[in-house]
Amino acid sequence: SVVGSLRDDPAKLLPLLAGAWWTVLLGAVAAFTMPVAASASVGADADWLAALATAAEALADAAALALAARVWDVLLLRRDEALSASTLRGLELARGLRSGRLLRRSYTFATDPAALARAPPHPRGTIPFFTLKRPLRLGEERRLSLFEPRWLALLDALAAANAPAETPAPNAASDDPSRLINVSFGCVFALNRVHTPAGPADAGRVAEAEAEAEGGGERVADVLLLPVARRARVVRAVAGRRPVSGDRRGGGWVRGEGPPG
């Protein structure tokens, strides 16, 4: 019941206060029109003024009722539906972890482009992976638009590995995006991703604030993955700048192929 829901979660009453001023305002309009109609009742125009006051009062009541219905639906009903859906999704992810259907992986990554550029390349005989928000199907072509420093650094590493030995490596994907054509990498579907500052909670928040001010830092990724992957091959590559910040962006179109080899 609504009463029981409010009793169990009193915080639900707080958003109602934000919309209460509409009801107060409309009630004040209705109250203002009633004295006007009463004072004008001795005049010749009493009938139409009374009708106008009645119409204004009815409009105010209808608006207040519509607002109350909207508040009821959004704050009391749909909020519970959203919370229930999130809880059910969490239970489903936990069940997948227990059954082995999902894998949980945690890793640390840098956010400073200079630190990422100094990182050693991925070991020979291994293949780098991107995490995707939805699975890449066999034969599907999809555009990847990348702007995070870690993904741009990975594009640079892939482009540099596909370039002549005497070609400088920094920003290789931006200098010549064509070096990414026919480059392949792995793609894995991440059902859930959480990024937190590296280190203890309190120290991590301080370190994150300092790192953002200096343009660097590290973060920890905690991801839930399906234990299958797809190899993606670049069929078209692009490079450019973001319109507002001017930061690098890159990517292109990839085609889903067989499993990573």
Side-chain angles (χ1 to χ4, degrees):
S1 66
V2 175
V3 175
S5 178
L6 293 176
R7 184 177 60 250
D8 296 337
D9 187 6
K12 291 182 178 179
L13 290 172
L14 296 179
L16 295 176
L17 298 178
W21 69 275
W22 283 99
T23 305
V24 175
L25 177 62
L26 295 173
V29 172
F32 177 77
T33 57
M34 294 176 64
V36 173
S39 62
S41 60
V42 295
D45 298 331
D47 292 340
W48 74 267
L49 286 176
L52 179 61
T54 303
E57 184 177 359
L59 180 61
D61 292 341
L65 180 62
L67 178 63
R70 179 64 176 168
V71 168
W72 183 292
D73 179 56
V74 173
L75 300 182
L76 299 182
L77 301 181
R78 298 201 180 187
R79 178 180 173 182
D80 284 346
E81 293 176 0
L83 292 175
S84 299
S86 297
T87 301
L88 291 175
R89 183 173 184 272
L91 292 174
E92 182 64 25
L93 294 176
R95 186 182 301 113
L97 283 173
R98 288 196 302 269
S99 65
R101 186 175 58 88
L102 300 178
L103 298 177
R104 183 178 183 181
R105 294 293 183 266
S106 180
Y107 56 90
T108 302
F109 62 92
T111 59
D112 180 17
L116 290 166
R118 294 192 299 267
H122 57 274
R124 184 177 299 275
T126 63
I127 182 171
F129 276 81
F130 284 87
T131 56
L132 302 179
K133 294 183 178 180
R134 55 188 177 89
L136 180 67
R137 300 188 301 271
L138 181 64
E140 175 189 358
E141 288 195 5
R142 183 186 302 178
R143 181 173 184 177
L144 297 182
S145 182
L146 306 172
F147 53 86
E148 288 188 48
R150 55 177 173 149
W151 299 132
L152 294 175
L154 180 53
L155 290 181
D156 289 336
L158 293 171
N162 202 33
E166 66 276 5
T167 303
N171 297 340
S174 295
D175 295 340
D176 187 359
S178 64
R179 295 173 185 157
L180 290 171
I181 302 299
N182 288 325
V183 167
S184 63
F185 49 83
C187 290
V188 62
F189 174 39
L191 285 81
N192 194 70
R193 292 181 286 187
V194 177
H195 295 163
T196 57
D202 294 336
R205 283 192 290 269
V206 175
E208 182 183 27
E210 295 176 349
E212 288 180 355
E214 299 176 0
E218 290 187 339
R219 296 182 67 83
V220 177
D222 191 342
V223 295
L224 298 183
L225 311 168
L226 287 178
V228 293
R230 174 81 62 192
R231 185 174 69 250
R233 186 174 301 277
V234 179
V235 295
R236 180 185 172 191
V238 294
R241 296 282 176 177
R242 304 184 72 179
V244 177
S245 63
D247 295 335
R248 284 182 61 197
R249 67 177 179 182
W253 283 259
V254 299
R255 180 184 296 117
E257 297 184 348

